[in-house]
């Protein structure tokens, strides 16, 4: 089905804070998902506008935490190869928990897509993930595959087993995923703030040139405008007039508490504004935008 967008809230969300069992707590990968879930829950209690997407995100993270804990145990018993075509059969049954969660707790369109996907034969389910991995479909078209693959890829990152995938410029140096957000972090006295891109698939952060488009590599400052809003003082749209793509950046130099992919949900209005101006995000965030 078509990609999902949660920008307008997620309707009658049935998302609840699903607590992970103690086993998940022991997993290094699961702890990362739990940290994001806790941040999403905290923010959900502080905002009325983005409360529902944040509660959905918190419950999604907790589902991914349980999947990641099991994948990490699988790896401990028999290491994964890093070749998705060889590894996928081992973990796909557990990753389907993410689809089941989306069917039960997702916004209407995502829930419908998930219900349909739960009917897939195992071979079809594996093929869907491989097509997404080979970039046959984008996350705008296939939100579920990205969400399913993330526990596996984050586990590979934690155990330092690089996946077999071509690494293109502007993409994650570990797994080749696209950046879905950017962070400005404290740098040295001479270099100023560092620009870090954040991978949507494995959670890696990597340093990237400040005046350069990660999509088409335009480097003319006149073609790389930044847009911000008084409502979201620590967030800006880093756009490119050449390819009309953008990445959303969170400033962590004054406040290091935000987690870019989570705090991103507080400023969905900026994504809607960017879309109205004809810009497309390089990789959509958790809200499908």
């Amino acid at each position: 089905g078509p990609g999902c967008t949660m920008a307008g809230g997620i309707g009658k969300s049935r998302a609840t804070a699903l607590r992970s069992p103690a086993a998940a707590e022991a997993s290094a990968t699961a702890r990362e998902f739990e940290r994001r879930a806790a941040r999403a829950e905290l923010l959900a209690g502080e905002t009325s506008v983005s409360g529902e997407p944040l509660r959905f995100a918190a419950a999604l993270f907790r589902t991914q935490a349980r999947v990641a804990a099991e994948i990490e145990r699988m790896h401990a018993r028999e290491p994964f190869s890093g070749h998705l075509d060889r590894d996928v059969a081992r973990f796909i049954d557990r990753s389907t928990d993410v689809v089941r969660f989306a069917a039960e707790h997702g916004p209407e369109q995502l829930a419908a897509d998930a219900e349909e996907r739960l009917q897939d034969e195992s071979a079809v389910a594996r093929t869907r993930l491989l097509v997404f991995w080979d970039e046959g479909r984008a996350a705008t078209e296939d939100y579920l595959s990205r969400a399913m693959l993330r526990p596996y890829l984050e586990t590979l990152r934690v155990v330092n087993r690089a996946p077999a995938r071509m690494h293109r410029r502007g993409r994650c140096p570990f797994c080749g995923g696209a950046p879905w957000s950017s962070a400005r972090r404290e740098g040295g006295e001479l270099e100023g703030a560092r620009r870090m891109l954040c991978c949507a698939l494995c959670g890696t952060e990597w340093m990237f040139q400040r005046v350069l488009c990660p999509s088409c590599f335009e480097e003319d400052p006149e073609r790389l405008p930044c847009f911000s809003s008084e409502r979201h003082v620590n967030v800006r749209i880093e756009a490119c007039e050449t390819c009309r793509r953008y990445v959303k950046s969170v400033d962590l130099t004054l406040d290091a508490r935000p987690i870019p992919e989570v705090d991103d949900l507080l400023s969905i209005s900026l994504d809607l504004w960017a879309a109205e101006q004809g810009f497309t995000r390089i990789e959509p965030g958790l809200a499908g935008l």
Side-chain angles (χ1 to χ4, degrees), residues 182-193:
S182 172
R184 304 192 295 286
R185 294 189 180 275
E186 288 285 3
E189 286 185 19
L190 297 178
E191 63 180 347

Side-chain angles (χ1 to χ4, degrees), residues 25-274:
E25 299 298 325
S27 159
T29 318
R31 284 198 298 273
E32 281 294 299
F33 285 108
E34 291 287 351
R35 185 173 69 91
R36 296 171 191 135
R39 177 69 180 172
E41 282 185 338
L42 175 68
L43 295 177
E46 298 176 352
T47 175
S48 56
V49 177
S50 301
E52 289 199 51
L54 283 161
R55 283 188 288 274
F56 173 82
L60 172 62
F61 287 138
R62 290 219 156 89
T63 302
Q64 290 173 318
R66 290 194 297 277
V67 174
E70 182 58 36
I71 288 176
E72 206 166 305
R73 284 192 289 270
M74 289 179 188
H75 178 78
R77 290 194 297 269
E78 180 187 342
F80 285 107
S81 70
H83 292 263
L84 182 62
D85 56 342
R86 301 178 201 167
D87 294 344
V88 66
R90 288 180 59 195
F91 68 80
I92 193 162
D93 285 349
R94 287 316 310 261
S95 290
T96 302
D97 288 355
V98 174
V99 184
R100 202 167 289 112
F101 161 78
E104 294 173 1
H105 302 288
E108 186 176 356
Q109 184 59 63
L110 182 63
D113 291 348
E115 286 281 3
E116 182 180 319
R117 193 144 168 173
L118 286 172
Q119 309 308 313
D120 285 350
E121 298 280 346
S122 58
V124 174
R126 292 195 297 271
T127 298
R128 283 189 194 268
L129 292 184
L130 290 168
V131 168
F132 177 85
W133 182 242
D134 293 335
E135 302 190 279
R137 297 195 80 194
T140 46
E141 305 171 291
D142 194 350
Y143 184 100
L144 290 167
S145 285
R146 186 179 72 179
M148 291 172 72
L149 284 172
R150 196 164 181 202
Y152 162 72
L153 290 163
E154 288 224 24
T155 299
L156 292 186
R157 176 174 61 79
V158 166
V159 301
N160 200 29
R161 173 63 58 88
R165 196 185 196 195
M166 184 180 295
H167 292 177
R168 303 207 312 263
R169 187 183 179 198
R171 296 295 190 92
C172 173
F174 181 78
C175 78
W180 64 354
S181 59
S182 172
R184 304 192 295 286
R185 294 189 180 275
E186 288 285 3
E189 286 185 19
L190 297 178
E191 63 180 347
R194 293 173 296 146
R195 184 193 193 192
M196 310 296 293
L197 297 183
C198 313
C199 180
L201 277 175
C202 74
T204 292
E205 274 195 11
W206 71 100
M207 195 155 65
F208 198 73
Q209 189 173 323
R210 276 181 291 182
V211 185
L212 184 68
C213 172
S215 179
C216 73
F217 314 113
E218 175 63 72
E219 54 187 358
D220 180 356
E222 297 294 319
R223 305 285 299 167
L224 300 170
C226 289
F227 305 101
S228 58
S229 161
E230 291 181 359
R231 286 181 56 198
H232 306 288
V233 293
N234 66 330
V235 181
R236 70 187 186 194
I237 297 285
E238 297 176 343
C240 177
E241 294 282 8
T242 300
C243 67
R244 307 296 293 178
R245 306 295 286 275
Y246 76 91
V247 65
K248 195 155 69 169
S249 175
V250 179
D251 188 351
L252 301 178
T253 60
L254 298 177
D255 182 355
R257 289 174 299 174
I259 298 175
E261 68 183 83
V262 179
D263 287 62
D264 171 56
L265 295 170
L266 293 172
S267 56
I268 289 173
S269 58
L270 288 179
D271 295 288
L272 295 172
W273 176 86

